[in-house]
Amino acid sequence: MNTALSLAGVALAAAIVWANIRPWWKGGRDPKALLPFGSAWLLGVLATMCVGGLLGWGASGIAGLITTGGNAAVDAAAGTGDTTFAGARLGALTPEGGTVVTLYTIGIGIAWKAAGKQDKRRMLGGLATGAALGFLPGVVLLLDWLPDSVNGVGAYAKALAQGQAAL
């Protein structure tokens, strides 16, 4: 999966992140208020690791849409073209890690069904920006620990289910 990002697309994603973080920063800074955005953002980032599945396909498509939207906005506002750079990718998932991501996706789906209108918008923004920024080389460098962690949780759960690990 070779996802090309543009500077304008990254700027659009950053603006969406800012629009979700700013009310929290200006408000009471309750960590629970970031949960809808942050949990969906993590799902977007995790989806970038799902190369052969629907989550990876969706993350790549979302990144493409954000890049196209950002390019159109900058072209309309400033009359300049876009500048692209190659995207990067987090590590690969093991079958156990893929199971963890799938279960997390189901959990986010359940939370989506129970969420109110404002939280659904925050979750959508988190998913979109996580998917787009998850291909950004700098974000990939910052989150290089994530694939090993997800794969490790899956391996531990498998070992636990087989009676080979202690709680």
Side-chain angles (χ1 to χ4, degrees):
M1 174 179 348
N2 189 8
T3 303
L5 299 170
S6 72
L7 183 59
V10 171
L12 177 59
I16 294 170
V17 170
W18 177 75
N20 281 279
I21 299 294
R22 186 176 184 277
W24 172 81
W25 187 260
K26 293 287 186 181
R29 296 188 192 163
D30 181 15
K32 289 188 290 185
L34 289 178
L35 197 56
F37 179 81
S39 60
W41 189 88
L42 178 61
L43 178 60
V45 171
L46 290 172
T48 65
M49 293 189 297
C50 301
V51 178
L54 289 175
L55 289 173
W57 175 78
S60 183
I62 289 170
L65 286 173
I66 286 183
T67 293
T68 301
N71 291 346
V74 168
D75 185 41
T80 61
D82 63 328
T83 176
T84 60
F85 47 94
R89 194 183 118 219
L90 283 166
L93 290 174
T94 62
E96 294 85 2
T99 302
V100 170
V101 172
T102 301
L103 289 174
Y104 187 73
T105 302
I106 291 168
I108 293 296
I110 292 168
W112 172 271
K113 293 288 280 181
K117 186 177 181 180
Q118 187 175 20
D119 282 344
K120 283 183 179 180
R121 275 188 274 168
R122 289 181 177 146
M123 290 174 79
L124 190 59
L127 179 67
T129 57
L133 297 178
F135 288 111
L136 193 61
V139 173
V140 168
L141 285 174
L142 288 173
L143 297 177
D144 66 347
W145 54 269
L146 187 60
D148 291 336
S149 298
V150 171
N151 291 333
V153 167
Y156 182 77
K158 180 182 177 183
L160 190 64
Q162 293 175 337
Q164 299 172 352
L167 287 173

